[in-house]
Amino acid sequence: MKKISLAIAASLLSTPAFAGVYLNSEANNSYTGSDYDGRTIDLHIGYEGSVGKIDYYIQGGPAVTAVADVDGSETEFSGKVGGTYNVTQKLGVYGELSGITNEDTDNSYGSKLGIKYSF
């Protein structure tokens, strides 16, 4: 039994990374201090892949937003595009751009940039 478990684990760990279509659901809660401000739930469909040293993704879909002390929720559209440049096998530089519509005010945008080193 131990040999079978090790063989299955080795097989799963050696499987190449999945590239293609995926579904992603994410809940983001917002707080100011200890006060709850609201929640956004993204229901995205996306695509990911690799080209040389670059891993990338793009995703988008409905985003259900609920603001604290307001009855009901609104559905907007949100999306993200991002990627990682693998400098070495242990060092990667990554970035992401995101946005969400808002029918009552200006659209919101965000960005992320970072470096990840794996030991």
Side-chain angles (χ1 to χ4, degrees):
M1 184 68 171
K2 194 175 196 180
K3 287 183 181 182
I4 292 172
S5 297
L6 289 173
I8 291 171
S11 173
L12 290 174
L13 292 174
S14 66
T15 303
F18 174 77
V21 177
Y22 64 89
L23 297 175
N24 178 255
S25 179
E26 181 177 283
N28 296 291
N29 296 307
S30 176
Y31 295 86
T32 301
S34 61
D35 295 329
Y36 174 73
D37 295 325
R39 171 181 297 129
T40 300
I41 300 174
D42 295 330
L43 303 168
H44 289 175
I45 186 167
Y47 183 83
E48 63 185 355
S50 297
V51 177
K53 290 186 165 197
I54 299 173
D55 300 326
Y56 63 89
Y57 63 92
I58 184 169
Q59 66 182 53
V64 181
T65 61
V67 177
D69 302 323
V70 175
D71 288 337
S73 62
E74 292 185 6
T75 302
E76 304 292 346
F77 180 81
S78 67
K80 299 176 183 179
V81 60
T84 300
Y85 177 74
N86 299 298
V87 179
T88 68
Q89 286 184 340
K90 294 185 176 266
L91 179 66
V93 178
Y94 65 89
E96 179 181 275
L97 297 174
S98 61
I100 184 169
T101 62
N102 189 325
E103 71 178 52
D104 297 329
T105 62
D106 292 337
N107 296 337
S108 297
Y109 303 96
S111 64
K112 190 185 294 188
L113 183 62
I115 297 173
K116 180 178 178 181
Y117 182 80
S118 301
F119 295 90

